[in-house]
Amino acid sequence: AKGAGRNNYRFFDAELQIALTARATLEMDLRQGIANNEFRLHFQPQVDATGQVQGVEALLRWQHPTRGNVSPAQFIPLAEQSGFILELGQWVLTTACEKLAAWRHDPDLSPLRIAVNVSAKQFRSPRFVRSVIDTLTATGADPSRLELELTESVLADDVESLVEKMTTLRAHGVLFSLDDFGTGYSSLNYLKRLPLDQLKIDQSFVRDLMTDPNDAAIVCAVLTLGSSLGLQVIAEGVETDAQKDFLRRHGCAQFQGYLFSRPLAEEALATFLEARRPV
Ligand code: C2E
Ligand code: CA
Ligand code: CA
Ligand code: CA
């Protein structure tokens, strides 16, 4: 029995070793991905109550030569743990700003805002504010078309420095949205102090909105909170007309989800907008 125990232990050890090696390999691939041009941004439309597209959320896609499409749900957490998120996040920011600058001359694309996801680690970096301003200047993007999506995890930071960073960027015209709202630990007291433009209702509350009275109550509470704080509220993960109608009836004016469109490659976004052009 003793021997078996030892074997089990060795077996577990070997498995752990394999898992760690796989992780290290994925991490190396991730670092090479930028140089090899394997990352793309997809864009998911955000629409108002009249169906007009107001902006898009930039969502990172990784097409690896042998792994195929790797989901951001897999590689973003790894990039955050390894610190590589700083480099990857800068790539996203630069690419989004380059798109904004390039879209200036296109009548369908030029009115759009681009929302960029910023990880807490990235926002916490002392160089972050400078790098956003420098990227805007270098690309010639209009700062008021750039929206930064922060999650509640940034609230773990010192509120003074958080507010200071946001205020500096907002003075340049950059907008701020609080993503996945309601899933983290937002203290309402913090929320009041943050110079935000928008709250984003997390899709986990939208999913069962029509069947779960608790989710419906939370959604209504966020809409009321947003309006009393003078913030826009956008609902994400909207998949059905029933969800959209419920949200609209309760004062929601911005929507994002498969009901309107999946995240699209740039060419597909252009086609999507062209088809919706008012005649
Ligand atoms: P998120 O910021 O909450 O983004 C929304 C996610 O919901 C996206 O998943 C989007 O494709 C998906 N989605 C949109 N509409 C619907 C819908 O109607 N139904 C359902 N079921 N899902 C919908 P995606 O693209 O797989 O991204 C997952 C997460 O990865 C994002 O969640 C975000 O946290 C992270 N992420 C993606 N791109 C970036 C990035 O450039 N930087 C950082 N830091 N994180 C990113
Ligand atoms: Ca987001
Ligand atoms: Ca979200
Ligand atoms: Ca989410």
Side-chain angles (χ1 to χ4, degrees), residues 44 57 59-61 72 76 92 117 119 179-180 203 236-239 257-258 263:
Q44 187 174 35
E57 179 177 4
L59 293 158
L60 196 51
R61 297 291 177 257
I76 293 286
V92 172
N117 290 286
S119 99
D179 200 5
D180 301 346
Q203 54 184 300
E236 73 177 348
V238 181
E239 295 184 355
Y258 296 163

Side-chain angles (χ1 to χ4, degrees), residues 57-59 115-118 149-151 179-180 200 236 256:
E57 179 177 4
L59 293 158
V116 167
N117 290 286
V118 176
E149 291 196 1
L150 303 178
T151 61
D179 200 5
D180 301 346
K200 198 162 188 183
E236 73 177 348
Q256 182 182 342

Side-chain angles (χ1 to χ4, degrees), residues 101-114:
W103 291 357
R104 283 188 121 132
H105 310 289
D106 183 299
D108 295 319
L109 293 164
S110 59
L112 303 185
R113 272 181 282 115
I114 298 185

